[in-house]
Structures are given as C-alpha cells and as structure tokens.
Amino acid sequence: MGPDFEQFFRQIPAFPIVLLCGSGILLMFSIFFIIRARIIKAQDQTILPGTMPAASSSYNYNPPSSFASTSDLPDLDLLVDMPSPTPPSPATPPARPPRKGTYTLRLEDG
C-alpha cells in the first residue's frame, strides 16, 4: 500500500463512518431486545378458559361437554347421504313487456 492509498483514507471524515456503524449496532441491539421480549411474553401467556391453546402447545384440544351438546351444526352424515337434486329443465325465459321506443325483430333463419 502506497502513500496514495493512505492519503485517500485520511481524507474521509471519521464522523459519518462512526455514525453509520453506531446506528447499525444500535439497530441490531434493538432487534435482539424486541425479539427477546416477544419470546418472553409468549411464554408467560396463560390459556384463558374458553380460548384455543397457543400454537406451540399440543393440538389435542377437547372442548367442554356443554359445547358438544348445544352445537347447532348439522349432521354431516345426513348431508352426504342426500340424493343430488335433478337440474331443472331449461325453460323459456318469460317474455319481457315491450318498452316505448323499442322494436321486436323476428329472424326468418332461426
């Protein structure tokens, strides 16, 4: 490295470099503490009665028996065993009443 390279770096002011590096380090610390706080908050949350458990806990959720007896959900076996309705036959559309200023065209070729 020659004297030209050293003179080039001496011309760069130190304040913008220190400011840029300091703000980057401050950003990394902020992100670290935000993530850490969210992890601690997620671990401290308790499951309230009547709510679903957190995603990290077991998926074996057994609803209370009162919920199962008072549900308004239809019986799926009855829905599956129902025969499918026949599609309605294509009927001619009802004739529209003529409007003032309109004309009816009748084609000879169909």
Side-chain angles (χ1 to χ4, degrees), residues 57-90:
S57 65
S58 175
Y59 288 104
N60 296 332
Y61 177 70
N62 295 326
S65 61
S66 62
F67 175 75
S69 63
T70 60
S71 66
D72 292 333
L73 299 175
D75 187 10
L76 294 179
D77 291 331
L78 292 175
L79 292 175
V80 172
D81 292 338
M82 290 178 55
S84 61
T86 58
S89 62

Side-chain angles (χ1 to χ4, degrees), residues 17-104:
I17 295 173
V18 171
L19 184 67
L20 182 66
C21 293
S23 62
I25 292 171
L26 183 64
L27 177 67
M28 285 191 287
F29 277 119
S30 300
I31 291 173
F32 170 75
F33 284 116
I34 289 171
I35 291 173
R36 183 173 166 229
R38 287 184 180 181
I39 290 172
I40 290 172
K41 184 179 177 183
Q43 289 174 351
D44 289 344
Q45 277 184 338
T46 58
I47 300 173
L48 299 175
T51 59
M52 293 296 292
S56 62
S57 65
S58 175
Y59 288 104
N60 296 332
Y61 177 70
N62 295 326
S65 61
S66 62
F67 175 75
S69 63
T70 60
S71 66
D72 292 333
L73 299 175
D75 187 10
L76 294 179
D77 291 331
L78 292 175
L79 292 175
V80 172
D81 292 338
M82 290 178 55
S84 61
T86 58
S89 62
T92 58
R96 295 192 312 185
R99 293 185 188 174
K100 184 178 181 181
T102 60
Y103 302 98
T104 307

